[in-house]
Structure formats: structure tokens, C-alpha cells
Amino acid sequence: MKRFLLLILAFALIKAHAQPFPCTLPACNGTIVNETYSSTAGWTNLSSGKMNIASGSMNYMYAGDVAGPLRMYKHYPAISANTNNLYADFWGSFSGNVNHTYYPLHYLLCLSSNSGEPMSTNNDALFVMITSTYLVPGTLKFQLAYKDGAGPVNLSASSIPYPGAGIYYFRVIRSSTNYQLYVATDPGFTSLIPGAPIHMYVCDLITDLKFVQHGRYTTDIKRKLGVKIDDLKICPYTSGCAFGATPCRVASGNGNFTKTDSEIYLYPNPTSVNIFISN
């Protein structure tokens, strides 16, 4: 009976770990970045006219009859010193103009180490994405992602369903090996949308982020998005989030270490009871 109860406890803890840890932070005041998109100064536009800064916002225009990556970027060297400890607030006004069928692959926000296309070049990067399952309508979702140098883009295992047209507030937090995304309907983040927040472990070395990028990575002209991004503020992260114990590499029985995004944690750490988990 004791073993059975312990298995139930272990299962409950595994399920609990699937939920992100709580986090409370004040609104970012823009200590590192305070981008109001009121001017094109400093911005490089490589979107073939499908993105622009106008009327005080960064605009992704729905028209998508141009193939290839479309993006805009700006150099913000002050980000670099806080690459591993920062949080960012911004909001997006979604018009409902999204092609639900052909897998949008847009980054609403990317922080990268250089000005190259962040998904395909040798470029450390953190992303806030809007994606969907290819050719499956109704699967739009917000996800986190990161890339280490020339390595592959790593998407978060969890996602937040896209609720439809409206204004949503985003908060992304990077602390050590943790990466979290909150999406809410209010700037105080008291009304989170269903599925929020999510988190993932950034297990690779992400360094020297100093560019802000917005854009789309795809060669399919059918992949379209209509959204206005505004009021991007980035601040140093010091405290306020209870991320818990989050080793990125865990030792297996033979002493080897492997990356994982689904570790088992037992709280508190048992000292006198044997835990048996078998399949």
C-alpha cells in the first residue's frame, strides 16, 4: 500500500511540474530597452514592404505575396549585459488576419546576438513565436523558442492557444536556464488567457544578445499574419519568480547526462523513504 501511495504522489508531482512556476513582477519601466516604435531611426527593414513602423507601432501586414524571410531589426547593445537575466513586456493587437491553414512561422519578438536572420544563420537567439500545425486549421498557438549558434531552433513543448482577434499583453522572462511566457488580456497580467503561462529550459549557452528583431521565417507566400506590436520594454531580472530547481542536464543511471524538458522532481527531497517507479 505504501508503494502504491508513493506512486500516486510521484505521479501528482510529475503532473504538477508540467505547470510553470508562479511569478510576480512589476511592470517593466524600460531600463534596458524602451521602444515605442514612434520612429524608424535605427531600424533596418528587410521585409519587402510587408512590415513597417507607422502610427506608433511595429506592423506585420497580412499581405504575404512575397516569399522568403521578412524581418526588421535594431541594434540594442545594452541588452548584452543582461542576456541571462532579463524580462520584457510588450503588447500586440491581432486583427484576426491570420492564415490558419498554412502554418504561420512568425516571431513576435526575437532577441539575437547578431543582425543575421535569426532562425537560419549562426546566431544565438530567444523567440516569442506564433505557430500552428501545418495544414491543420484552428491550431494557432503562442510558443517559446531558442537557438544556440548554428544549432536547430528549439521550440517549447508546451504552448498557449491563440484566442482570436484582440489585444494581448506579453511578458517573457529569462533567468539562468529558465524561459517563461505570460499572455494576458490586461497589462497587469491578472487575467491570463487559457494555457498561460508556459516555460521551457534553455539548456544551451545563449550569450551576448544585443539585437531586437521582428519577422517571419518561411518561403511560403501563404503564411500570413496581421498584428501590431507596441511598447516593448526590457528590464533586468533580479527576483520575483519562483522557478524551482531546474537542472538542464540530469544524470542517468550510467552517469551520462542528457538534455530533457520533462524531468521528474520530488519535493521535498526524500531522505528516508524509497521511491519505486516502474513501467
Side-chain angles (χ1 to χ4, degrees):
M1 177 61 71
K2 181 182 287 187
R3 182 178 297 184
F4 179 73
L5 291 174
L6 287 171
L7 283 171
I8 293 176
L9 175 61
F11 179 76
L13 288 166
I14 294 168
K15 293 296 287 183
H17 175 63
Q19 301 302 316
F21 299 102
C23 185
T24 302
L25 286 173
C28 177
N29 60 10
T31 304
I32 300 173
V33 171
N34 187 4
E35 178 58 67
T36 61
Y37 304 100
S38 58
S39 169
T40 59
W43 285 95
T44 298
N45 192 332
L46 301 176
S47 72
S48 299
K50 302 306 177 184
M51 298 177 65
N52 69 8
I53 291 175
S55 302
S57 61
M58 167 67 66
N59 305 303
Y60 294 63
M61 291 174 280
Y62 182 67
D65 54 341
V66 174
L70 309 175
R71 62 191 177 99
M72 294 181 65
Y73 69 83
K74 185 174 180 177
H75 188 207
Y76 273 106
I79 299 173
S80 179
N82 292 93
T83 289
N84 293 316
N85 290 283
L86 58 80
Y87 69 103
D89 290 347
F90 66 97
W91 60 267
S93 178
F94 293 79
S95 66
N97 287 331
V98 184
N99 192 318
H100 291 248
T101 303
Y102 287 95
Y103 187 61
L105 192 58
H106 297 72
Y107 39 95
L108 302 175
L109 174 66
C110 170
L111 304 180
S112 64
S113 60
N114 63 60
S115 62
E117 200 293 311
M119 288 197 160
S120 61
T121 63
N122 191 336
N123 204 346
D124 284 5
L126 299 173
F127 301 90
V128 177
M129 308 286 298
I130 181 168
T131 68
S132 72
T133 304
Y134 188 59
L135 295 178
V136 181
T139 58
L140 284 165
K141 53 199 172 186
F142 301 119
Q143 282 184 280
L144 291 169
Y146 77 89
K147 187 165 74 71
D148 177 23
V153 175
N154 299 277
L155 279 169
S156 58
S158 52
S159 60
I160 303 170
Y162 169 70
I167 295 176
Y168 302 107
Y169 296 84
F170 295 80
R171 172 167 290 169
V172 60
I173 306 157
R174 170 75 194 282
S175 175
S176 183
T177 57
N178 289 280
Y179 194 28
Q180 278 200 356
L181 174 64
Y182 288 70
V183 185
T185 56
D186 69 297
F189 295 92
T190 59
S191 299
L192 299 178
I193 67 174
I198 60 172
H199 87 139
M200 72 183 300
Y201 302 138
V202 179
C203 297
D204 293 294
L205 189 62
I206 307 299
T207 61
D208 199 24
L209 303 180
K210 52 183 179 291
F211 285 84
V212 171
Q213 302 210 39
H214 304 282
R216 178 192 81 176
Y217 179 71
T218 177
T219 58
D220 191 334
I221 64 174
K222 301 181 183 70
R223 299 176 183 180
K224 306 173 183 179
L225 175 68
V227 63
K228 296 180 179 181
I229 301 293
D230 206 353
D231 289 332
L232 171 65
K233 300 180 187 298
I234 302 178
C235 289
Y237 170 78
T238 54
S239 63
C241 297
F243 288 111
T246 53
C248 266
R249 290 166 174 81
V250 294
S252 63
N254 59 10
N256 294 326
F257 285 79
T258 56
K259 290 184 187 179
T260 177
D261 198 39
S262 58
E263 294 90 350
I264 297 173
Y265 298 103
L266 297 177
Y267 298 108
N269 186 34
T271 57
S272 60
V273 179
N274 291 324
I275 304 293
F276 297 93
I277 300 177
S278 60
N279 53 22

